[in-house]
Amino acid sequence: MFMAEGEQFELDAASPRSGDIKVGIDIKRIEARRDIHKRCDEIVNKATKLKSTFPDSKFGAIVYYPFIEEHVNVQNRLRSENIEGVVFASEAKESIENAVKMLLPTLGVLRN
């Protein structure tokens, strides 16, 4: 959780556990085509708020969007100077774990 401009925001993963956030990850489900604009705007807003509070932080998003042929539309909607990486995943735990592994290097986090 972090506060920005009097509002509280939640990240699905952040590092470090306390103090200034250096890396934040948001995982978002977009299950219907009609929700793409709203959900993408929410992600961009959260990234913007994170960067306004922690200017040196990095932000990445993992997105579940079942319409694979339209992933490019989501990527275009999430194009922002405040978002360092976007990765897609299915609902499966392994898919989310793989997405995180792909996203971390983009955020400057080295894998062991």
Side-chain angles (χ1 to χ4, degrees), residues 11-80:
L11 294 168
D12 294 294
S15 178
R17 290 180 185 239
S18 62
D20 290 357
I21 296 173
K22 293 183 180 176
V23 175
I25 297 175
D26 194 30
I27 301 174
K28 188 70 78 179
R29 292 174 62 95
I30 308 173
E31 297 186 51
R33 286 181 170 97
R34 68 179 178 274
D35 294 337
I36 186 173
H37 301 294
K38 179 181 178 184
R39 297 290 178 244
C40 288
D41 289 349
E42 290 171 357
I43 294 168
V44 171
N45 181 55
K46 192 178 290 188
T48 301
K49 298 297 184 181
L50 179 69
K51 296 288 183 121
S52 72
T53 305
F54 305 105
D56 295 328
S57 66
K58 305 260 181 163
F59 182 92
I62 298 174
V63 178
Y64 166 75
Y65 186 64
F67 311 103
I68 296 169
E69 67 281 359
E70 297 174 22
H71 280 187
V72 70
N73 295 338
V74 174
Q75 288 174 314
N76 288 336
R77 294 275 312 167
L78 295 176
R79 190 164 291 141
S80 166

Side-chain angles (χ1 to χ4, degrees), residues 54-112:
F54 305 105
D56 295 328
S57 66
K58 305 260 181 163
F59 182 92
I62 298 174
V63 178
Y64 166 75
Y65 186 64
F67 311 103
I68 296 169
E69 67 281 359
E70 297 174 22
H71 280 187
V72 70
N73 295 338
V74 174
Q75 288 174 314
N76 288 336
R77 294 275 312 167
L78 295 176
R79 190 164 291 141
S80 166
E81 63 185 17
N82 296 315
I83 299 175
E84 278 74 26
V86 175
V87 179
F88 292 91
S90 71
E91 296 177 286
K93 180 182 176 185
E94 299 81 26
S95 179
I96 295 169
E97 289 172 352
N98 287 332
V100 170
K101 289 176 185 175
M102 289 181 356
L103 183 60
L104 288 178
T106 304
L107 302 177
V109 178
L110 299 176
R111 290 182 35 204
N112 293 339

